[in-house]
């Protein structure tokens, strides 16, 4: 299965799970036509269904559908054998009825048992699109296809999502109002325009920037700052000039001792 299609199917099944409560193993009701198609196209039906639906499945068949297969004779024995391996879904039709009618009745008005229908009957699929949340699978040119959600499914989904977002009436009363007060809606009187429209007036030519007569004031500041910092060090020699680098490096904390040892070591090394 192509990656794009796989992604779309995963998203779709995710929607059926999240919005309509489908759970794995998905219950897939297979009709007689689907069993025959699997035989014709030599498709491993269960494996293909699990690939397309992207999860574990429980294949099922109704009594009426399997009876349809029995009637077809020896030629369809492989399809019968396939169907026999599936779980039998009781449909309570004493006399076997048409497979489509049987599946329609099993799904009912709301598909409350959350069946996925794998059917080759276009007629049945058209009927089931009128029911909410019935994932539909069929085989076309030996490719298994999961139909996009029906209009009814989309409509109910939108309803359910809105319901989930809505706050119940009784809770609404307790919530503080977030609507802006009426007063805020009163429009402020518009200011009268003073003078001509600024957009219609010709722009003044911008003055050329003056060249500052002071030479590099920023650098001066830095120099001043440096001098000040030197003064703050306090260690001023008698002639007023600040002491040299070595003195300023000294710090009044533990690191001093480390420095001293390092210095001492170097001196010792030099001596030897
Ligand atoms: Zn039935």
């Amino acid at each position: 299965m192509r990656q794009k299609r796989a992604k779309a199917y995963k998203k779709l099944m995710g929607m059926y799970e999240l919005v309509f409560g489908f759970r794995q193993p998905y219950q897939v009701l297979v009709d007689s036509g689907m069993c025959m198609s699997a035989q014709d196209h030599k498709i491993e039906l269960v494996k293909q269904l699990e690939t397309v639906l992207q999860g574990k499945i429980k294949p099922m068949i109704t009594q009426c559908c399997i009876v349809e297969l029995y009637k077809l004779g020896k030629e369809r024995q492989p399809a019968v054998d396939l169907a026999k391996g599936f779980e039998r879904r009781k449909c309570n039709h004493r006399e076997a009825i048409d497979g489509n009618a049987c599946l329609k009745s099993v799904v009912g008005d709301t598909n409350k048992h959350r069946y996925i229908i794998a059917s080759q009957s276009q007629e049945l699929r058209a009927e089931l699109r009128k029911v909410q949340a019935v994932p539909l699978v069929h085989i076309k040119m030996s490719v298994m296809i999961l139909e996009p959600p029906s209009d009814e499914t989309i409509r109910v989904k939108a309803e359910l999502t809105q319901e989930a977002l809505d706050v119940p009436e009784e809770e609404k009363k307790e919530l503080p109002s977030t609507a802006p007060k009426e007063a805020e809606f009163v429009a402020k009187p518009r200011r009268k325009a003073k003078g001509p429209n600024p957009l219609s007036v010709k722009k003044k030519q911008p003055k050329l920037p003056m060249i500052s007569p002071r030479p590099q004031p920023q650098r001066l500041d830095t120099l001043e700052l440096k001098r000040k910092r030197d003064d703050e060090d306090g260690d001023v020699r008698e002639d007023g000039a600040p002491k040299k680098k070595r003195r300023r490096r000294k710090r009044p904390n533990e690191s001093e001792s480390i420095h001293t040892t390092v210095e001492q070591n170097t001196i010792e090394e030099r001596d030897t």
Side-chain angles (χ1 to χ4, degrees), residues 68 84 106 152 260 264:
E68 271 186 346
K84 274 186 175 172
V106 166
E152 176 64 3
T260 343
Q264 274 168 358

Side-chain angles (χ1 to χ4, degrees), residues 62-65 89-93 95-99 101-103 105-106:
T62 66
Q63 188 63 33
C64 300
C65 285
R89 164 61 157 95
K90 275 183 195 164
C91 54
N92 297 326
H93 299 126
E95 292 281 315
I97 61 165
D98 166 65
C102 175
L103 284 174
S105 74
V106 166

Side-chain angles (χ1 to χ4, degrees), residues 171-186:
E171 280 179 38
K172 259 184 194 168
K173 285 171 199 164
E174 290 163 27
L175 286 172
S177 171
T178 50
K181 285 167 195 167
E182 262 181 56
E184 283 174 42
F185 284 122
V186 177

